[in-house]
């Protein structure tokens, strides 16, 4: 599988270099790695032979056409796939060199360390405060002051000023963008190391999307972020590195299986892709 | 669960078909392009259907009239105060007393005992089916619960009297109890209500969107925490509605209590005592051949009226809650 | 809390994915799951016990006599023939009265009623409420109805059928509405767009598609009516009947009433008879439920 290649300074006029592009090392300092990962649903192979490393304090975007398995891969990174009947992972996904599917590993602990934000905002039908406190309560986190934790998480998610006077009100009263930032706040409140985002802005309007993107730039200082997105401009705007996936039909069954085509710095992927398929996709000729 | 509004734009189409015709099109012609052929059959059929639907309201009105007319005659003879707060119920005696509290006390005992059984077990089964069970297991469990719900109440009554009371309570446990007890009746009634509570609360919990469970799992909650802290509260109004419907069924259940609770109308003070419930009285009194219009006959309807009002209030609360939880998602 | 989210010292020391607080298999979570299974176990245990106890007690009397003999003062040669025939007559009457009416009412509510009109909302609320009215109240209603019309007798097949039809009407209305509602609106719109009138759409598209749901609901409702005794008690069905019903005006008793009657007798032989008749009732019930489930699984369209 083709991965990183000699680095070309990103100089394409259409792509704004991400702030850290210059300082970005050639190879990511990976905290979360996939080695020969296949994901199956029953006998159907959804993703095949993925080798990827997600760098510490970097934002990595997974892009590609529908059905290329990028969301499936994302869900196998924190064992959310365990909740799907028949889902199975082959190969190794390791976090800090520990296999997250290894014996004795607790899926719940994995999810505590590797949080997730979903496509549609999914606040619980509880108060704003209880939404944030939920994770700390269920994971039995030692917290000196829950109020401080809630305030800090909401502040980090750039939501505190908007909701500080209505913490006890239902989270359903918030706008879609606010709800999504609440879900991000809820995730960072349990102090994960990695945050997975599954098309977090696809249900939001452009202004709310912009706020989330700004928030991601803030969060990357402390977290490793992996984002699946349909929106190529978004990947170009926010991601340090980008992985492009596509779906290849199986010759005998016709099932489409996702494969990783190319992975590199965002500037390189958008400016000087090595693979023809990547170029076709980002220039809009395909997908 | 969003209610799909399936109403046709009937009025518009009727207008086209009817004599009035649609709004006139601009132009020289006075004849509409859309004047369809008249469909008188359509109107008649719609009328018949509407009549059928209206008949359901007639039934309710009929129930009210059927209960209130003899009820009023009863309250002419017996002051309503004596009826509601009297503690002696002896309508068959020469010196008759019509205090309904003994019947109410037995109804409360059997209902509370039934709920003590039905609520925990019913909710437990519901959480298991909604949050834990594999779809194949659920496909087996649901019909089992439906059979349990469909067993005739006389069979439950027979079981309560012949097995629970006589064999389990008297022979095995050597309890100090007579031929009947509100405990045997209440216990078996609780079993009868388990499917009602389980099935409706399972519906409510299944209606909670999957995204909330995923959100909870992504925050490091295990299945138990997700069930108890997210799904259960989110489905609470539906669950309460299920419990209230269970209460309504327990209050209105007749055959189990008529068979197993006994027919002595006195204030019940303990679960091992026999007692006659409101429904038990109606069933027993109906066995005698009381003349229409006699006080004895009217007594039936007075108790029936009280029963109807109690269950009506309970049902209305339940319906409101169910409608509320349907609107949430 | 400045280190919020920083990788723990960026070293491997504090990072283990082993369970910190028990996770999915903590003692509490296992206890909880155990309690859930126990709930289900209790329900199934009771169902099993009830069936076994009934079968053991009723087996000696579950013979041909049960079907061919009338009730008698001697338990050894008593049977439930009159009750079986009575049940058949009453349930058939109930079905004829309740199903067409229930389907018609449901069709109106689902397809023609304008929900903005208060009377249509009243009808809806009313049906929901009627479904939860205690069954014995329907007996009182029928009794009052007969007295108003001026019938001398109250124990005849038609009266029993009316009482049970009133009882199951709301159940059929609700089941039919569910069935109609599950027909996708594309079918309606497709039919209307081809120039069919609303009634033609209902008659040719909606109702045929809803038949499995309506059948399932109706069978379950009738199985409930078959086991129901309370309203019929009020119609004097607890009588000693030694003849088969022949018309809508014949006197009758039914199986549940016969069971109730035998339960109240002191002789053990009658209790066995009651159990034997219960077995018959349970078998019929399982058959009807099974049929309903079969229809639901086999014919229900997946849209």
């Amino acid at each position: 599988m083709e991965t990183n290649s000699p680095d070309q300074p990103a100089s394409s006029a259409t792509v704004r270099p991400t702030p850290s592009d210059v300082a970005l090392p050639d190879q990511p300092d990976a905290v979360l790695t996939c080695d020969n990962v296949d994901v199956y649903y029953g006998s159907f192979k959804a993703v095949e032979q993925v080798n990827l490393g997600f760098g510490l304090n970097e934002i990595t975007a997974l892009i590609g056409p529908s059905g290329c398995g990028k969301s499936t891969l994302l869900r196998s990174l924190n064992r959310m796939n365990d909740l799907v009947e028949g889902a199975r992972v082959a190969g190794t996904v390791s976090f800090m060199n520990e296999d997250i599917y290894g014996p004795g590993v607790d899926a719940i602990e994995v999810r505590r360390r590797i949080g997730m934000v979903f496509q549609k905002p999914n606040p619980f039908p509880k108060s704003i405060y209880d939404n944030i406190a939920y994770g700390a309560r269920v994971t039995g986190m030692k917290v000196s002051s829950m109020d401080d934790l809630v305030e800090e998480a909401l502040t980090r998610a750039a939501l505190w000023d908007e909701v500080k006077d209505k913490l006890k009100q239902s989270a359903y009263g918030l706008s879609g963008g606010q709800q999504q930032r609440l879900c991000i706040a809820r995730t960072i409140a349990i102090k994960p190391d990695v945050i997975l985002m599954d098309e977090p802005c696809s249900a939001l309007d452009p202004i709310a999307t912009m706020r989330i993107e700004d928030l991601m730039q803030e969060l990357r200082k402390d977290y490793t972020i992996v984002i699946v997105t349909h929106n190529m401009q978004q990947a170009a705007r926010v991601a340090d590195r980008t992985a492009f996936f596509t779906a290849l039909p199986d010759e005998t069954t016709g099932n489409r299986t996702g494969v990783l085509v190319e992975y590199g710095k965002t500037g390189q992927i958008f400016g000087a892709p090595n693979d023809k398929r990547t170029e076709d996709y980002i220039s809009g000729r395909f997908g | 669960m969003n209610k799909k509004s399936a109403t046709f734009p009937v009025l518009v189409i009727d207008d086209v078909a009817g004599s009035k015709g649609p709004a006139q099109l601009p132009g020289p012609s006075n004849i509409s392009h859309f004047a369809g052929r008249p469909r008188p059959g359509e109107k008649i059929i719609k009328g018949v259907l509407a009549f059928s639907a209206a008949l359901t309201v007639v039934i309710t009105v009929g129930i009210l009239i059927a209960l209130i007319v003899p009820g009023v005659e009863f309250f002419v003879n017996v002051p309503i105060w004596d009826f509601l707060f009297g503690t002696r119920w002896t309508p068959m005696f020469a010196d008759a007393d019509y205090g309904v509290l003994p019947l109410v006390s037995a109804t409360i005992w059997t209902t509370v005992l039934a709920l003590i059984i039905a609520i925990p077990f019913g909710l437990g089964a519901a959480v298991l089916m909604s949050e834990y069970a594999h779809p194949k297991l659920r496909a087996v469990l649901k019909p089992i619960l439906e059979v349990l719900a469909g067993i005739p109440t006389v069979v439950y009554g027979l079981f309560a009297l012949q097995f629970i009371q006589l064999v389990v309570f008297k022979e095995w446990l050597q309890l100090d109890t007579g031929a009947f007890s509100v405990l045997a009746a209440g216990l078996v009634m609780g079993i009868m209500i388990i499917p009602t509570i389980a099935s409706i609360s399972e519906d409510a919990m299944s209606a909670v969107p999957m995204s909330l469970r995923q959100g909870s799992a992504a925050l490091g909650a295990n299945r138990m925490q997700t069930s108890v802290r997210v799904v259960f509260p989110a489905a609470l109004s539906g669950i309460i509605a299920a419990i209230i419907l269970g209460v309504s069924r327990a209050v209105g259940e007749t055959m189990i209590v008529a068979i197993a609770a006994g027919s002595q109308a006195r204030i019940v003070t303990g679960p091992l005592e026999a007692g006659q419930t409101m429904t038990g009285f109606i069933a027993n009194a109906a066995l005698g051949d009381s003349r229409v219009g006699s006080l004895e006959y009217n007594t039936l309807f007075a108790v029936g009226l009280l029963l109807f009002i109690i269950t009506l209030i309970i049902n209305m609360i339940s319906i409101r809650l169910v409608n509320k939880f349907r609107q949430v998602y | 809390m400045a280190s919020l989210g920083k990788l723990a010292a960026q070293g491997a020391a504090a990072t283990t994915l082993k369970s910190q607080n028990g996770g999915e298999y903590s003692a509490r979570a296992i206890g909880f799951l155990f309690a859930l299974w126990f709930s289900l176990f209790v329900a199934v245990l009771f169902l099993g016990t009830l069936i076994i106890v009934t079968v053991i007690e009723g087996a000696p009397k579950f013979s041909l006599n049960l079907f061919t003999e009338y009730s008698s003062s001697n338990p050894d040669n008593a049977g439930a023939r009159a009750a079986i025939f009575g049940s058949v007559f009453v349930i058939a009457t109930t079905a004829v009265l309740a199903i067409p009416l229930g389907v018609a009412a449901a069709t109106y509510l689902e397809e023609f009623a304008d929900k903005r009109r208060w009377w249509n909302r009243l009808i809806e609320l009313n049906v929901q409420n009627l479904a939860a009215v205690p069954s014995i109240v329907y007996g009182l209603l029928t009794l009052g109805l007969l007295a108003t019309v001026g019938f001398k007798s109250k124990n005849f097949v038609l009266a029993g059928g009316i009482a049970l039809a009133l009882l199951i009407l709301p159940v059929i209305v609700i089941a039919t509405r569910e069935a109609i509602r599950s027909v996708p609106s594309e079918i309606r719109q497709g039919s209307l767009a081809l120039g069919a009138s609303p009634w033609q759409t209902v008659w040719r598209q909606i109702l045929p598609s809803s038949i499995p749901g309506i059948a399932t609901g109706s069978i379950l409702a009738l199985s409930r009516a078959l086991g129901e005794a309370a309203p019929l008690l009020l119609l004097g069905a607890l009588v000693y009947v030694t003849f088969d019903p022949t018309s809508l005006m014949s006197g009758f008793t039914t199986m549940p009433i016969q069971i109730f009657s035998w339960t109240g007798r002191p002789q053990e032989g009658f209790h066995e008879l009651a159990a034997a008749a219960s077995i018959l009732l349970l078998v019929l019930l399982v058959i009807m439920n099974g049929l309903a489930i079969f229809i639901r699984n086999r014919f229900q369209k997946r849209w």
Side-chain angles (χ1 to χ4, degrees), chain A residues 127-144:
Chain A
S127 69
I128 292 167
Y129 186 98
D130 287 340
N131 263 279
I132 305 290
Y134 179 83
R137 285 175 182 155
V138 296
T139 53
M141 223 166 97
K142 303 272 183 300
V143 177
S144 53

Side-chain angles (χ1 to χ4, degrees), chain B residues 3-10 13, chain C residues 106-113 115 176-210 214 303:
Chain B
K3 269 194 178 169
K4 192 181 345 165
S5 167
T7 318
F8 284 122
V10 177
I13 288 168
Chain C
T107 307
Y108 173 76
L109 286 176
E110 227 19 73
E111 297 290 334
F112 295 100
K115 301 235 164 70
T176 305
R177 291 189 66 183
E178 291 285 336
I180 292 177
R181 212 176 293 159
S182 70
V183 178
S185 57
E186 288 78 15
I187 303 270
R188 274 179 202 94
Q189 289 161 2
S191 173
L192 290 171
L194 290 171
S197 71
W199 169 248
Q200 287 169 327
T201 302
V202 167
W203 185 247
R204 289 163 187 266
Q205 298 297 336
I206 311 287
L207 285 181
S209 306
S210 315
I214 296 172
W303 299 101

